[in-house]
Amino acid sequence: MTFKEETIKSEMVYKGRVLNLRRDEVMTVSGRPSVREIVEHGGGVALVAVTDEGKIIMERQFRKPLERDVLEIPAGKLEPGEDPFEAAGRELAEETGYRAANIEYLTRYYPSVGYCQEALYMYLCTGLTKGETNPDEDEAIDIYEYSFEELCGMIDRGELEDGKSIAALFAASLRIAKKEK
Amino acid sequence: MTFKEETIKSEMVYKGRVLNLRRDEVMTVSGRPSVREIVEHGGGVALVAVTDEGKIIMERQFRKPLERDVLEIPAGKLEPGEDPFEAAGRELAEETGYRAANIEYLTRYYPSVGYCQEALYMYLCTGLTKGETNPDEDEAIDIYEYSFEELCGMIDRGELEDGKSIAALFAASLRIAKKEK
């Protein structure tokens, strides 16, 4: 498809700490103008970290948008200019205390292509050794370990609803299956 | 975990067409105030629609946040007050022209729990029959069919990067595997 929505006018509605909000007036395929509200976000990393025993490191923390705890894989925002691969090792260590001998790129995850340009870079982390955690001051994170089969059951029963976790676990399982072929 | 971030002050920064932006001042676990920027979104549905031949219906459309086409499963926003199950059938018909004899709930997907409270309800649609499409005036959608194996390869190679599609395909494959046990 070669169709592209041209921007007629672009307005920055809000410039914030974690995200910006932009309001673009565009020309749609129907030839009529419309509005696209776009969340700008610096992106991040999300990590499927697998112990030598085959357990996957999970976190539980309070998430203000949902006003409750959420079970997730370790993840974090990219610092400005930071390489995603560097961020992967940094976030894993800060949040879980684990260092990974092997960090392998899986794929990129766009959580909400309709209104957000955020990209999350997903990595498979293996060869883990335990050290000290160093979470951000604003974070209170509990760490858990689950088998892949346990997590699959939790996804099917609606107990694991975090998008990046579901997507990254799938991408990791596809990669591992390809290697075992 | 019983920790919860209390809201000190909440301000609606922007009320829009598809989303609102809220800025909450909260008390964090460290006892210090912080800011949470929260995107409010009415939610939607995302559909893994499988033909009798085992092909999965995919769409390609221009997405303004990425300034390019994106390959995705069919999806759409909930109308105010609309039941997600009803929306599933409506969106499938509008965007792809298919009607589904069977629409089965899979799970809920939170794309970005850190800053967005949007939930997408995911469904497995089977027993498809082809009719006319009726897309929104602002949408130009091309329809494709792929096997599950093709889509798995595309995820691994980074050719399918849409979060809801990756998550829903995984949830659908888990459900189908459970039934085949």
Side-chain angles (χ1 to χ4, degrees), chain B residues 59 74-76 90-97 133-134 139 141 143:
Chain B
E59 304 180 350
R90 177 182 58 72
E91 285 288 350
L92 183 69
E94 283 179 8
E95 295 197 349
T96 71
T133 62
N134 180 28
E139 294 177 333
I141 295 174
I143 303 294

Side-chain angles (χ1 to χ4, degrees), chain B residues 57-74:
Chain B
I57 311 294
M58 300 295 294
E59 304 180 350
R60 192 175 277 281
Q61 65 180 302
F62 180 79
R63 291 301 201 170
K64 188 67 182 169
L66 307 192
E67 291 288 353
R68 63 170 169 85
D69 292 357
V70 178
L71 186 71
E72 307 166 42
I73 58 173

Side-chain angles (χ1 to χ4, degrees), chain A residues 17 37 115 118 156 178, chain B residues 17 37 115 118 156 178:
Chain A
R17 205 178 71 116
E37 293 150 341
Y115 61 85
E118 181 190 8
D156 190 61
K178 197 169 83 168
Chain B
R17 204 177 72 115
E37 294 150 340
Y115 61 84
E118 181 190 9
D156 191 60
K178 195 168 85 168

Side-chain angles (χ1 to χ4, degrees), chain A residues 58-86:
Chain A
M58 301 294 294
E59 305 181 348
R60 191 175 277 281
Q61 66 181 302
F62 180 79
R63 290 300 199 171
K64 188 68 182 170
L66 307 192
E67 291 288 353
R68 62 169 170 85
D69 293 357
V70 177
L71 186 71
E72 306 166 44
I73 59 173
K77 290 184 287 291
L78 288 171
E79 313 273 0
E82 187 179 28
D83 181 83
F85 180 83
E86 302 293 329

Side-chain angles (χ1 to χ4, degrees), chain B residues 45-113:
Chain B
V45 294
L47 314 166
V48 179
V50 188
T51 68
D52 290 350
E53 293 74 36
K55 297 282 188 174
I56 294 162
I57 311 294
M58 300 295 294
E59 304 180 350
R60 192 175 277 281
Q61 65 180 302
F62 180 79
R63 291 301 201 170
K64 188 67 182 169
L66 307 192
E67 291 288 353
R68 63 170 169 85
D69 292 357
V70 178
L71 186 71
E72 307 166 42
I73 58 173
K77 290 184 286 292
L78 288 171
E79 312 274 0
E82 187 179 27
D83 181 82
F85 180 83
E86 302 292 329
R90 177 182 58 72
E91 285 288 350
L92 183 69
E94 283 179 8
E95 295 197 349
T96 71
Y98 280 103
R99 271 70 181 170
N102 315 304
I103 299 180
E104 176 182 345
Y105 177 65
L106 289 170
T107 187
R108 202 163 48 175
Y109 162 87
Y110 287 103
S112 297
V113 294

Side-chain angles (χ1 to χ4, degrees), chain B residues 135-148:
Chain B
D136 286 351
E137 281 193 353
D138 286 358
E139 294 177 333
I141 295 174
D142 290 338
I143 303 294
Y144 300 87
E145 293 184 7
Y146 292 95
S147 70
F148 181 71

